[in-house]
Amino acid sequence: MADPKLITSPLSGPFTEGDVTVDVQIYRLGDTQWTLEVVDGEGTSTVWDDQFETAAAAKAEFLRSVAEEGLVGAISGEPVSKH
C-alpha cells in the first residue's frame, strides 16, 4: 500500500514580524482537514490543536493569533507585553 500523499498549501511560507521569521506550514493528507504548523528559526514546531476546513481558514487563524498575541506569543502560547 502506498504512503498517503502530503498536500502542502500554496499559502504556506515564511512570515516575518519585527526581527522574527517563522515558516508557516499548512498541509493535509488526502481528503483530511488542514493542519497549521509554525516552525521557528531554531526548528521548534508549534502545531495548532484544531484542524481547518480550508487552507485559507488555517492562514486566517494564524494571522488572527499574530494580530492578538504578536508572533512570539502566538507560537509560544505565552502572553507578550506590547509596549
Side-chain angles (χ1 to χ4, degrees):
M1 184 155 115
D3 289 334
K5 182 178 176 178
L6 183 67
I7 300 166
T8 302
S9 168
L11 297 176
S12 297
F15 180 88
T16 302
E17 180 181 76
D19 60 352
V20 178
T21 299
V22 296
D23 185 24
V24 178
Q25 291 295 310
I26 301 170
Y27 56 85
R28 65 186 176 101
L29 292 173
D31 53 354
T32 63
Q33 291 190 324
W34 293 93
T35 296
L36 172 59
E37 178 178 7
V38 179
V39 182
D40 68 16
E42 296 176 1
T44 302
S45 171
T46 302
V47 179
W48 268 241
D49 291 333
D50 294 333
Q51 292 192 319
F52 303 90
E53 288 287 327
T54 66
K59 184 70 175 245
E61 173 60 19
F62 170 73
L63 294 173
R64 184 202 61 77
S65 295
V66 170
E68 283 187 8
E69 306 169 35
L71 180 56
V72 173
I75 62 175
S76 72
E78 299 293 323
V80 176
S81 63
K82 296 182 182 179
H83 299 293

